Amino acid sequence: KEDPEVQAVCLMTLARCAGEAVADGRLILRMRNNLPCDADKNGEEQSRLKTVELGGLRPMLDLLKTEELDVAGKSAFALSCHMLDSPVRLAVHTLGGVECFLFLMQTNDDIVINYAALALSQILQHVEAKDELYKVHGMKVLIDFGLASDSVEVQENAARAVAFAIEQEGNLKDLRKMNGIVTLIEMLAALPDTDR
C-alpha cells in the first residue's frame, strides 16, 4: 500500500510540472493585467501530454476515490492542471471524472471542495462533460456545495464551472429551476466593492 503523504507529494509535483499557475487562474489574472506569462515557453503542455502518454490519468482518477481526502483533493488539483488540453478533458470525462469531482464537492473539506470545483471548471469546457453533468443532476451539487459555499475560492471555481455547464440547455434549465440565478445575484451583492 502506498503512503498517502508520498502520493500527495507526487500529485503536487505532477501538478506543478503540468502548469498549476495556468490551471488555478493565475494565467488569466496575469493576462488581464497585461503581465507576461511564460507558461508556453516552460514546456508545460509537453509535460501534460507526456503524463497522459505514460498512463498517468487513470492512477490520478483512482486516487479521487481514496478515503484520504488530502490525497483525493490533490488528485483533483493535479487533474485540473492536466485538463487544460481538450483531449485530456475528454479522457478524464471518459474515465468517470465528472461524477468523481461531484462526489468530492460534497465532502466537508473546503480545500477538497475547492479543488473539485476547479476540476469541474476545467472538464466542463468539454461538450460531453456538460451532457454528463446534466444526466447526473450535477447542477444541484454545484449550486448547493459550490455557489452556496462560505469560501470565496470555492464560489469562484463553482461559478466558472456553472458558466461552462449552462452552455448545455438542460443545465441552464436546471440552474433556473433550482434558483441558481438568485444565488448568483446574492453572490454579486456580497462582493466587497458593491453598494448593496
Side-chain angles (χ1 to χ4, degrees), residues 41-58:
K41 298 177 192 169
N42 293 338
E44 293 170 351
E45 181 178 9
Q46 290 175 340
S47 176
R48 291 191 297 271
L49 297 177
K50 190 65 159 177
T51 300
V52 174
E53 180 185 319
L54 295 172
L57 290 182
R58 188 174 297 278

Side-chain angles (χ1 to χ4, degrees), residues 168-183:
Q168 195 264 21
E169 187 65 30
N171 289 323
L172 178 57
K173 287 179 182 175
D174 283 351
L175 180 72
R176 290 177 181 143
K177 278 192 283 188
M178 297 174 194
N179 289 323
I181 294 172
V182 172
T183 305

Side-chain angles (χ1 to χ4, degrees), residues 52 57-58 61 79 83 85-98 123 126 128:
V52 174
L57 290 182
R58 188 174 297 278
L61 274 147
L79 284 163
M83 286 190 291
D85 303 300
S86 186
V88 181
R89 289 184 200 117
L90 178 60
V92 173
H93 156 70
T94 303
L95 294 169
V98 172
I123 199 169
H126 199 283
E128 290 185 27

